[in-house]
């Protein structure tokens, strides 16, 4: 299985350096429509940097990124989000002082018809829109079993719920591509299998593409249709999970060069 | 030419005072990452300490003046430690804004207590050192008070430099400003180093207060507000948290201000510092010698 | 078109203001003065709360906006309007027709300055931003001190006495209405999102730049109006009245009220205005006590005096936005 012919997201020759360190070097990456692509690699391989490049937090020193046919060069993160790329963060970034409900509600912002003037006048259109947003937020919270926490402050949720809420918030922007940054980190096995179900469900129900950065190989295998392996900012391998995880370079990258064993990395880099 | 030299000299002696105050801001910022608003009032207290010490043991000899300077520095060092202990330490884990507001509160408390104890009216500041003025060829005038500033400030800066770079406390201070958690992990006593930093910064502010008053000859409880703000600006201009930067920023600001004050835009003098601050922060937010911290995503 | 319940409350406040204003000759002039000062401070604190409390951009330059509003509004009633309409310089006409236009002009001028002062917030945070906005406020003050056409350092005297209870109460009600309406909407949650986490806010498509500048412009607009009211109330203004101590005083109201808690901020504005009045008997210790209380409050309840939950429940029928859901008890972390 190879890179899609007409991808939704396409990185070409992307490079970024921090001081003397080349974090990502000449990376080509493509995500197809409704594809579930995994981006894996040892710690410090540059996976999160790739996310930051795609979402405009960093600007590539070289190369370009195209999404749905248009270039993302020079766009601000909020503009990129408005084109249909949503993400979660490795170290959860909810809006801690806001309620669970408001965390999701504010993400409807992008598709809002009423602005300041409507909020000030509070006429019928405004109230109708607020009501429809409210019901859509509640619907999403119920689907992801967060409904009963709706009035709680986001920072007071248990860890797993916070991760889930971050995914709901990202989905509320109605993305075409969802970037998940280590969603399984810190989860126990039962939470992990629930997360796998969740990711597959999201991809099917909202008909979106998902780019997943994850260390847990069980989750990666269970979810991803295709894998890209990154090490020291360079792409090592690409293909279906079974092949990629047996690829000698990949095994070497995970377990070290000297004693390359035959077996695939079962669950490397348990951090 | 003489005019220029005279202005430069005046600018240097004003700048030296700014530098002394700025060092306190920058050192506290370095270890605690907050603006100690009350620092400008420690400067004021330093001047008043000098005033009252002189009333108890009037001095017009060199040694007497230095003794009063040392006494005032010691008093303010203590004051700085007490302020940190009572007002800032309980808030160390709180948001920086809370600490900032507390600092404003401490600043107001010192000012109003000063007005209550010393009265709001300005007091004439005594001559601590024997007064003499030297007139050079071409008309350049240097007073002993200016000389005191120009000699004592470099000495104090050198002492600070030695403490920060060569002593254990200095090393600990630098370690904390790099990484407070790692510093405590290697066994540095955070509380003691922070107290020490406050003592050091406050002592320098007291020295600044006395040297400033020697040249302006009038002190009042609100005298610290404007020089304090400007010294803070000097610290930011030099790169906050950076000790040579604070000295550089102070001198620069003092010189620029003096020249503007001598020009036809003299009424805008007080705005110069802020205009400089805004320009620096917009074009070189880390300051002249500072390094920028970037948030990790 | 049916306006919302909030709007009716606003109209109610305006009506109450006009009744009180008509009866104002029966009110003790001292109380009248205090009431007008309270209302002006409420406008200042609530408008700063949009910038500091909701959007998290700690600004200490509010007195600068107030100064702009005061000077522009006073210039309008004193110089510009009589210049344009020499026939219409009767006090009644100035009070009812020119004055609102003057307030608006003051507000707009301050709002324009808000763009300039808000710009550094795009690059600076926290105490750095605080000090830069403080610097802006001081620069504005120095500019007015050097403008001889508005009296320079001596200030501007002989401003017509247009401010009355009607205008101050109406404007305070309008400010509260505008800020709470903006904030209690899906659009307005964006302000809090910017405060909580800018990177996450951008990631869900919130233009943090636009939100910050909007907060500064709207906040500055109302501060400008407050300045206009202040000038036409004190009848003389001078640059010293708008120094950074005034900015700090307004910021204190916001902090004591609990940042981003409009009801708390209103209460704090009222209390902090009354406190110096109440402390008059101990005038000598007054400010010492005041600053000591401030430190004590920061040490004991850093979240502000008025915890939002208590007051929100108390006043929920008046303040709750139509879209807010019922509040579940928060879970322990």
């Amino acid at each position: 299985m190879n890179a899609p012919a007409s991808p939704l997201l396409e990185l070409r020759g992307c490079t970024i350096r921090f001081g003397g360190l080349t974090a990502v070097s000449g990376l080509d990456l493509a995500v197809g429509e409704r594809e579930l692509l995994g981006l894996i690699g040892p710690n410090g391989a540059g996976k999160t940097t790739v996310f930051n490049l795609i979402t405009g937090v960093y600007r590539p020193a070289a190369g370009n990124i195209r999404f749905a046919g248009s270039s993302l060069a020079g766009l601000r993160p909020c503009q990129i989000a408005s084109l249909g790329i949503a993400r979660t963060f490795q170290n959860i970034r909810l809006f801690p002082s806001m309620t669970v409900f408001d965390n999701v509600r504010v993400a409807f912002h992008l598709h809002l018809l009423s602005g300041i003037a409507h909020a000030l006048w509070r006429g019928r259109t405004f109230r109708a829109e607020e009501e429809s947003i409210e019901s859509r937020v509640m619907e999403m919270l119920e689907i992801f079993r967060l409904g009963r926490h709706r009035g709680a402050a986001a920072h007071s949720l248990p860890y797993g719920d916070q991760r889930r809420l971050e995914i709901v918030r990202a989905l509320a922007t109605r993305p075409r591509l969802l970037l998940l940054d280590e969603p399984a980190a810190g989860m126990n096995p039962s939470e992990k299998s629930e997360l796998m179900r969740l990711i597959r469900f999201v991809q099917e129900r909202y008909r979106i593409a998902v780019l997943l950065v994850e260390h847990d190989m069980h989750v990666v295998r269970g979810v991803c249709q295709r894998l890209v392996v990154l090490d020291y900012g360079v792409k090592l391998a690409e293909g279906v999970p079974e092949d990629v995880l047996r690829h000698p370079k990949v095994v070497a990258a995970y377990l070290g060069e000297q004693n390359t064993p035959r077996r695939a990395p079962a669950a490397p880099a348990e951090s | 030419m003489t005019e220029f030299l005279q202005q430069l000299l005046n600018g240097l002696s004003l700048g030296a005072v700014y530098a002394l105050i700025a060092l306190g801001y920058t050192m506290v910022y370095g270890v605690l990452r907050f603006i100690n608003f009350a620092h400008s009032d420690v400067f004021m207290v330093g001047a008043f300490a000098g005033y009252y010490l002189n009333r108890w043991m009037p001095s017009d000899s060199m040694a007497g003046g230095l003794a009063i300077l040392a006494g005032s520095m010691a008093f303010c060092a203590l004051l700085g430690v007490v302020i940190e202990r009572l007002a800032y330490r309980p808030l160390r884990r709180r948001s920086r804004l809370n600490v900032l507001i507390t600092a404003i509160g401490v600043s107001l408390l010192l000012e109003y207590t000063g007005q209550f104890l010393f009265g709001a009216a300005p007091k004439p500041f005594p001559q601590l050192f024997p007064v003499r003025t030297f007139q050079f060829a071409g008309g350049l005038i240097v007073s002993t008070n200016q000389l005191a500033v120009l000699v004592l400030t470099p000495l104090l800066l050198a002492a600070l430099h030695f403490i920060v770079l060569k002593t254990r406390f200095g090393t600990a201070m630098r370690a904390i400003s790099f990484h407070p958690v790692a510093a405590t992990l290697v066994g540095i006593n955070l509380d003691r180093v922070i107290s020490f930093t406050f003592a050091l910064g406050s002592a320098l502010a007291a020295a600044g207060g006395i040297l400033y008053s020697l040249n302006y000859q009038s002190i009042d409880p609100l005298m610290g507000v404007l020089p304090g703000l400007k010294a803070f600006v000097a610290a930011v201009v030099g790169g906050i948290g950076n000790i040579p930067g604070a000295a550089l920023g102070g001198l620069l600001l003092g010189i620029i201000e003096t020249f503007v004050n001598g020009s036809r835009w003299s009424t805008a003098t007080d705005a110069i510092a802020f205009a400089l601050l805004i320009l620096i922060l917009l074009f070189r937010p880390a300051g002249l010698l500072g390094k920028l911290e970037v948030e990790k995503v | 078109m049916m306006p919302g319940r909030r709007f009716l409350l606003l109209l109610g406040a305006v009506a109450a203001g006009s009744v009180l204003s008509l009866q104002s000759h029966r009110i003790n002039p001292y109380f009248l003065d205090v009431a007008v000062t309270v209302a002006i401070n409420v406008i200042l604190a609530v408008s700063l709360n949009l910038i500091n409390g909701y959007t998290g951009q700690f600004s200490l330059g509010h007195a600068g906006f107030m100064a702009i509003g005061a000077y522009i509004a006073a210039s309008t009633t004193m110089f510009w309007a009589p210049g344009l309409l020499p026939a219409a310089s009767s006090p009644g006409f100035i009070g009812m027709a020119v004055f609102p236009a003057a307030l608006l002009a003051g507000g707009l001028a301050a709002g324009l300055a808000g763009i300039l002062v808000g710009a550094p917030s795009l690059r600076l945070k926290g105490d750095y931003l605080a000090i830069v906005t403080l610097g802006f406020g001081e620069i504005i003050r120095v500019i007015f001190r050097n403008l001889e056409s508005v009296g320079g350092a001596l200030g501007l005297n002989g401003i017509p006495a247009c401010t009355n209870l009607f205008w101050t109460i109406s404007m305070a009600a309008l400010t509260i209405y505008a800020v709470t309406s903006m904030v209690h909407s899906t659009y307005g949650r964006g302000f809090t999102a910017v405060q909580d986490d800018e990177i996450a806010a951008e990631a869900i498509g919130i233009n943090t730049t636009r939100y910050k500048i909007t907060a500064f412009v709207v906040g500055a607009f109302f501060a400008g109006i407050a300045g206009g009211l202040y000038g036409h109330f004190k009848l003389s203004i001078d640059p010293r009245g708008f120094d950074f101590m005034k900015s700090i005083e307004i910021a204190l109201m916001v902090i004591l009220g609990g940042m981003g808690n409009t009801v708390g901020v209103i209460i704090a504005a009222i209390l902090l205005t009354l406190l110096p009045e109440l402390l008059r008997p101990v005038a000598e210790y007054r400010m010492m006590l005041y600053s000591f209380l401030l430190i004590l409050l920061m040490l004991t309840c850093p979240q502000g005096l008025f915890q939002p939950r208590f007051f929100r429940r108390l006043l929920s029928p008046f303040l709750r936005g139509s879209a807010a859901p019922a509040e579940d008890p928060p879970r322990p972390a």
Side-chain angles (χ1 to χ4, degrees):
Chain A
M1 193 175 186
N2 280 319
S6 61
L8 176 65
L9 174 81
E10 192 176 23
L11 278 74
R12 273 218 196 121
C14 282
T15 299
I16 184 168
R17 296 179 196 90
F18 299 112
L21 175 82
T22 305
V24 172
S25 163
L27 179 69
D28 293 329
L29 183 78
V31 186
E33 294 272 5
R34 302 180 60 183
E35 189 183 16
L36 269 166
L37 176 67
L39 181 62
I40 64 169
N43 280 329
K47 307 177 297 287
T48 298
T49 307
V50 171
F51 272 22
N52 286 337
L53 283 171
I54 296 172
T55 53
V57 177
Y58 300 149
R59 302 236 156 117
N64 61 44
I65 305 173
R66 298 181 70 78
F67 179 73
S70 57
S71 167
L72 300 185
L75 295 188
R76 295 181 46 154
C78 64
Q79 293 170 310
I80 291 171
S82 74
L83 290 176
I85 301 181
R87 72 177 287 184
T88 65
F89 295 87
Q90 193 176 347
N91 45 348
I92 308 175
R93 300 187 87 125
L94 290 168
F95 302 122
S97 77
M98 286 158 66
T99 61
V100 168
F101 178 88
D102 276 347
N103 261 277
V104 181
R105 168 154 86 133
V106 73
F108 275 84
H109 165 93
L110 270 180
H111 304 281
L112 211 55
L113 297 173
S114 48
I116 292 190
H118 292 84
L120 286 178
W121 177 247
R122 315 226 133 201
R124 196 170 293 155
T125 15
F126 170 80
R127 276 177 289 163
E129 185 172 40
E130 291 287 308
E131 266 165 40
S132 109
I133 288 174
E134 184 182 356
S135 64
R136 277 182 288 169
V137 171
M138 281 318 296
E139 188 189 315
M140 289 185 82
L141 287 179
E142 292 301 342
I143 291 174
F144 293 93
R145 293 188 286 111
L146 288 165
R148 68 199 166 94
H149 298 312
R150 65 181 189 270
H155 67 85
S156 68
L157 288 188
Y159 191 74
D161 286 351
Q162 289 196 21
R163 285 237 176 257
R164 210 143 21 103
L165 177 57
E166 217 190 3
I167 296 176
V168 180
R169 184 181 69 183
L171 287 172
T173 65
R174 288 191 244 158
R176 293 172 69 184
L177 169 66
L178 177 62
L179 311 178
L180 298 175
D181 201 345
E182 294 195 32
M187 286 187 169
N188 63 34
S190 79
E191 284 175 322
K192 277 178 188 169
S193 41
E194 197 209 304
L195 176 78
M196 288 158 67
R197 273 200 303 279
L198 181 85
I199 295 173
R200 284 191 293 254
F201 166 79
V202 162
Q203 187 259 354
E204 262 168 43
R205 177 175 167 122
Y206 296 93
R207 299 203 193 92
I208 57 176
V210 176
L211 178 57
L212 173 73
V213 161
E214 186 49 66
H215 273 310
D216 188 299
M217 288 307 144
H218 179 65
V219 173
V220 169
R221 266 189 235 252
V223 168
C224 297
Q225 298 155 344
R226 197 162 64 87
L227 289 186
V228 168
V229 187
L230 214 57
D231 192 24
Y232 292 111
V234 181
K235 185 158 76 179
L236 279 190
E238 179 171 12
V240 289
E242 291 80 59
D243 297 349
V244 167
L245 294 178
R246 273 193 215 100
H247 195 293
K249 272 192 189 166
V250 175
V251 177
Y254 270 102
L255 298 173
E257 299 283 357
Q258 273 93 22
N259 50 349
T260 309
R262 290 271 160 73
R263 62 187 180 81
E270 207 79 59
S271 50
Chain B
M1 188 60 203
T2 316
E3 170 73 17
F4 177 82
L5 279 179
Q6 186 73 54
Q7 291 282 44
L8 192 65
L9 193 72
N10 296 347
L12 273 176
S13 50
L14 178 62
V17 174
Y18 286 156
L20 286 175
I21 315 174
L23 286 166
Y25 280 114
T26 239
M27 284 192 294
V28 168
Y29 195 91
V31 292
L32 283 179
R33 295 276 182 278
F34 93 96
I35 301 172
N36 178 15
F37 251 95
H39 191 62
S40 58
D41 302 293
V42 174
F43 163 86
M44 174 272 291
V45 173
F48 273 95
Y51 175 85
Y52 283 102
L53 280 174
N54 184 64
R55 275 173 86 181
W56 286 338
M57 40 173 201
S59 114
D60 50 2
S61 70
M62 202 67 191
L66 286 177
I68 286 177
L69 181 72
S72 160
M73 285 173 73
F75 179 76
C76 284
L78 193 67
L79 178 68
V81 172
V82 169
I83 290 174
E84 191 274 328
R85 187 64 240 254
L86 294 182
Y88 303 153
R89 191 171 297 177
L91 287 169
R92 204 169 290 161
R93 284 175 202 287
R94 298 285 185 179
S95 87
R96 277 157 61 180
L97 279 183
N98 275 328
V99 191
L100 182 73
I101 297 307
T102 311
I104 292 176
V106 174
S107 164
L108 294 179
L109 185 63
L110 288 175
E111 284 165 19
Y112 293 126
T113 311
Q115 286 189 342
F116 179 69
L117 292 178
F118 316 134
K123 286 187 180 350
F125 195 76
Q127 296 299 342
L128 301 181
F129 301 107
V131 191
R132 212 184 303 158
T133 48
F134 305 98
Q135 185 142 16
F136 289 89
L140 184 67
I141 299 170
V142 185
S143 68
T144 35
N145 287 333
Q146 275 180 327
L147 275 183
V149 175
L150 294 178
V151 171
L152 285 173
T153 307
L155 284 178
L156 288 169
L157 289 184
L160 178 72
H161 192 73
F162 175 80
I163 291 173
V164 170
L165 288 183
K166 304 282 177 194
T167 64
R168 278 186 50 192
F169 261 120
T171 313
M173 263 174 71
R174 284 182 290 139
I176 289 174
S177 74
F178 273 122
H179 203 304
V181 180
T184 42
L185 286 178
V186 298
I188 291 173
N189 184 336
L190 205 62
D191 287 342
R192 272 175 63 195
V193 175
I194 288 171
S195 291
F196 180 72
T197 309
F198 270 84
L200 214 55
S202 305
L204 289 177
I210 286 188
L211 295 176
Y212 182 86
S213 313
L214 278 177
N215 282 299
Y216 288 81
Q217 291 167 10
S218 157
I219 58 174
D220 69 88
L222 296 182
M223 65 180 274
V225 176
L226 222 49
L229 269 177
K230 288 175 182 169
F232 173 73
V233 169
V236 175
V237 167
I240 194 146
N242 182 309
I243 289 177
L248 177 70
L251 288 178
L252 206 63
L253 184 61
I255 292 171
I256 295 177
E257 255 194 30
T258 308
F259 275 101
V260 172
N261 204 12
S263 73
R264 59 198 180 87
W265 296 291
S266 59
T267 44
T269 307
D270 285 347
I272 291 296
F274 297 110
L276 187 66
L277 174 75
I278 289 162
L279 286 179
I280 284 281
L281 286 178
L282 288 182
F283 295 107
R284 211 182 143 74
L288 294 175
L289 303 181
K291 255 193 305 191
L292 201 61
E293 285 174 26
V294 182
E295 187 181 6
K296 201 164 185 270
V297 182
Chain C
M1 191 142 10
M2 238 285 282
R5 189 176 48 187
R6 275 159 201 281
F7 200 79
L8 297 177
L9 274 168
L10 170 69
L11 293 179
V14 172
S18 49
V19 170
L20 276 173
S21 198
L22 287 172
Q23 298 297 316
S24 62
H25 56 279
R26 298 191 187 174
I27 305 173
N28 177 336
Y30 172 72
F31 287 132
L32 208 63
D33 269 22
V34 172
V36 169
T37 312
V38 164
I40 290 176
N41 280 340
V42 165
I43 300 178
L44 288 168
V46 170
S47 60
L48 182 65
N49 191 30
L50 178 66
I51 305 173
N52 283 18
Y54 287 109
T55 321
Q57 307 303 305
F58 200 81
S59 165
L60 283 179
H62 225 49
F65 298 135
M66 192 188 168
I68 292 177
Y71 274 100
I72 296 288
S75 302
T76 309
T77 51
M78 289 173 73
F79 313 130
W80 299 334
L84 281 174
L85 304 157
S89 54
S90 74
F93 183 77
I94 288 184
M96 287 322 288
V98 176
F99 185 51
L103 289 181
L104 186 67
L108 289 177
L112 217 59
I115 300 178
L116 200 67
V117 181
S121 72
L122 308 178
R123 299 189 62 162
L124 305 169
K125 286 194 179 97
D127 29 20
Y128 266 81
L129 180 63
I131 210 85
V132 166
T133 48
L134 189 155
F136 261 115
E138 289 293 288
I139 288 174
I140 290 170
R141 208 165 63 85
V142 171
I143 290 174
F144 281 118
R145 204 171 62 199
N146 285 293
L147 277 182
E148 289 307 325
S149 58
V150 289
L154 294 173
L156 198 55
N157 298 306
I159 305 169
C162 300
T163 300
N164 55 24
L165 268 187
F166 168 71
W167 287 115
T168 40
I169 290 182
S170 304
M171 288 300 147
L174 184 71
T175 309
I176 296 167
Y177 171 80
V179 170
T180 53
S181 297
M182 267 174 75
V183 170
H184 291 278
S185 66
T186 301
Y187 164 82
R189 294 280 81 190
F191 290 107
T192 313
V194 171
Q195 148 150 311
D196 273 8
D197 191 329
E198 282 187 35
I199 287 166
E202 282 272 341
I204 59 163
I206 286 174
N207 188 333
T208 50
T209 302
R210 190 180 295 167
Y211 268 93
K212 287 181 193 172
I213 297 291
T214 304
F216 267 98
V217 169
V218 174
F221 174 79
F222 286 109
I225 287 186
L229 290 168
Y230 176 83
H232 290 81
F233 166 61
K234 292 284 182 194
L235 312 186
S236 80
I237 47 179
D238 83 273
R240 273 168 303 170
F242 308 102
D243 64 353
F244 72 92
M245 275 309 303
K246 181 71 191 168
S247 296
I248 287 176
E249 199 187 308
I250 307 167
L252 287 183
M253 295 170 185
V254 173
I255 289 156
L256 283 187
M259 307 247 276
N261 166 13
T262 306
V263 184
V265 166
I266 295 170
I267 296 173
I270 296 171
L271 285 185
L272 281 185
T273 317
L274 295 181
L275 188 66
E277 300 296 328
L278 296 176
L279 289 177
R280 262 182 208 285
V282 285
E284 273 183 76
Y285 309 92
R286 190 169 86 172
M287 296 316 285
M288 270 166 75
L289 214 60
Y290 176 89
S291 45
F292 184 71
L293 279 177
L294 174 68
I295 300 171
L296 212 62
L297 281 171
M298 275 297 116
L299 292 178
T300 49
C301 36
Q303 298 301 316
L305 219 44
F306 311 103
Q307 295 302 317
R309 199 169 300 128
F310 172 72
F311 280 97
R312 220 178 275 159
R313 200 160 296 156
L314 198 69
L315 295 163
S316 54
F318 310 108
L319 283 165
R320 183 69 55 74
S322 55
E327 201 169 7
D328 285 350
R331 301 160 50 100

